[in-house]
Amino acid sequence: MIAKETLLQQLPQDLDRARLPQHVAVIMDGNGRWAQRQGLPRIIGHRRGVDVLKDILRCCKDWGIGALTAYAFSSENWGRPLEEVNFLMTLFERVLRQELNEMIAENVRIRFLGNLSALPESLQKEINRSMEATRDNRDVRFSVATNYGGRQEIVQACRAIAEQVKNGSIEPEQIDESLFARHLYTSDVGDPDLLIRTSGEMRISNFLLWQVAYSELYVTNTLWPDFDRQEFRSAIGAYQKRNRRFGKL
Ligand code: FPP
């Protein structure tokens, strides 16, 4: 039997190559519930969630989608039980170590968005190593939001700009949307065209607050561990039916 993934290795014919979203963001919700529904510990859901993310990243490469941004750990997630937080930190580190060669081979550039200085040092080391080793890769720009909060991102941008005004390198009149966007973590990937959220919740949850101003939203009831290429195709199909007006007529 051919695996489901193999069937959708190429861009499905019902999708229009010329109108693919160039940047997709995902809120990967539902790992814990997926595991609990099967009587398994929540961490099993996170493990499975990594496999799904890997396949969606590969799918972006296969279909020609140039940027993927995933919400892996929000600044509010520190409030989870210590055991789960520790598991996630160790998981991120292990994934980076295991997948680095594959990312290099697949021409994927990985970056991390968020307040990285609060992460365990050994994880920061892996993060820096993987960002450095893939910095010139161009096929897919993969961003992982880790210890990320949208409001915090905006506040740190304000601070950096205020410093520049204070030291006289810019005038307040020079602050406009494009200058502001250059101070966000996403300065080199820009705004997502499509934001996908799994597990049915209709919330942005402090993710890319500035950047999603005109993104198309797609919410599915599917839990992240069950999300697959078929679902990704549906999300992109729905996106291609939308009429993006950016506030105009
Ligand atoms: C939310 O499920 C999902 C997470 C906390 C993300 C876990 C991270 C990954 C799957 C990817 C890590 C990737 C890299 C490259 C380091 P939840 O626990 O909120 O589920 P629930 O809503 O059912 O409780």
Side-chain angles (χ1 to χ4, degrees), residues 28-34 36 42 45-46 49-50 53 71-73 77 80 84 88 91-93 95-96 110 112 142 144 146 199 201 223-224:
M28 311 177 285
D29 202 10
N31 290 347
R33 272 165 286 169
W34 179 87
Q36 280 166 333
R42 292 172 55 83
H46 295 314
V50 170
L53 182 59
Y71 205 2
F73 193 87
N77 285 156
R80 293 187 175 207
E84 183 169 339
L88 284 169
L91 178 73
F92 296 166
E93 203 177 312
V95 169
L96 283 181
I110 188 168
F112 282 76
F142 177 40
V144 186
T146 311
S199 97
E201 239 79 66
L223 304 178
W224 179 252

Side-chain angles (χ1 to χ4, degrees), residues 23 69 71 74-76 111-116 143-162 179-192 204-213:
H23 180 183
T69 300
Y71 205 2
S74 77
S75 37
E76 289 74 36
R111 290 204 47 216
F112 282 76
L113 324 177
N115 178 9
L116 306 180
S143 308
V144 186
T146 311
N147 193 20
Y148 172 89
R151 289 184 174 180
Q152 179 272 334
E153 177 183 34
I154 290 171
V155 169
Q156 69 79 30
C158 289
R159 276 205 195 131
I161 295 168
L179 181 137
F180 197 85
R182 286 201 295 279
H183 287 82
L184 298 173
Y185 299 130
T186 47
S187 56
D188 56 352
V189 278
D191 301 340
I204 300 292
S205 298
N206 206 13
F207 189 42
L208 303 177
L209 291 182
W210 169 281
Q211 297 89 335
V212 297

Side-chain angles (χ1 to χ4, degrees), residues 86-205:
N86 287 343
F87 176 84
L88 284 169
M89 296 298 147
T90 312
L91 178 73
F92 296 166
E93 203 177 312
R94 201 175 51 227
V95 169
L96 283 181
R97 214 174 289 124
Q98 282 170 357
E99 301 302 323
L100 182 58
N101 285 340
E102 177 93 13
M103 287 190 286
I104 294 171
E106 296 280 336
N107 203 19
V108 170
R109 187 196 73 180
I110 188 168
R111 290 204 47 216
F112 282 76
L113 324 177
N115 178 9
L116 306 180
S117 62
L119 300 173
E121 258 181 43
S122 53
L123 174 56
Q124 288 187 49
K125 244 188 220 157
E126 283 307 321
I127 286 177
N128 291 333
R129 196 165 78 99
S130 62
M131 293 205 297
E132 185 55 37
T134 62
R135 59 186 291 175
D136 297 324
N137 293 355
R138 286 289 171 267
D139 278 3
V140 186
R141 288 162 300 157
F142 177 40
S143 308
V144 186
T146 311
N147 193 20
Y148 172 89
R151 289 184 174 180
Q152 179 272 334
E153 177 183 34
I154 290 171
V155 169
Q156 69 79 30
C158 289
R159 276 205 195 131
I161 295 168
E163 278 298 332
Q164 290 178 14
V165 173
K166 191 169 142 197
N167 70 29
S169 57
I170 58 166
E171 296 295 327
E173 299 70 39
Q174 287 172 267
I175 304 171
D176 59 11
E177 290 185 15
S178 100
L179 181 137
F180 197 85
R182 286 201 295 279
H183 287 82
L184 298 173
Y185 299 130
T186 47
S187 56
D188 56 352
V189 278
D191 301 340
D193 301 301
L194 171 64
L195 170 63
I196 298 172
R197 180 165 190 152
T198 55
S199 97
E201 239 79 66
M202 302 280 184
R203 282 193 291 276
I204 300 292
S205 298

Side-chain angles (χ1 to χ4, degrees), residues 20-45:
L20 283 175
Q22 275 315 296
H23 180 183
V24 175
V26 284
I27 300 179
M28 311 177 285
D29 202 10
N31 290 347
R33 272 165 286 169
W34 179 87
Q36 280 166 333
R37 277 182 198 174
Q38 301 175 64
L40 298 168
R42 292 172 55 83
I43 57 170
I44 302 294

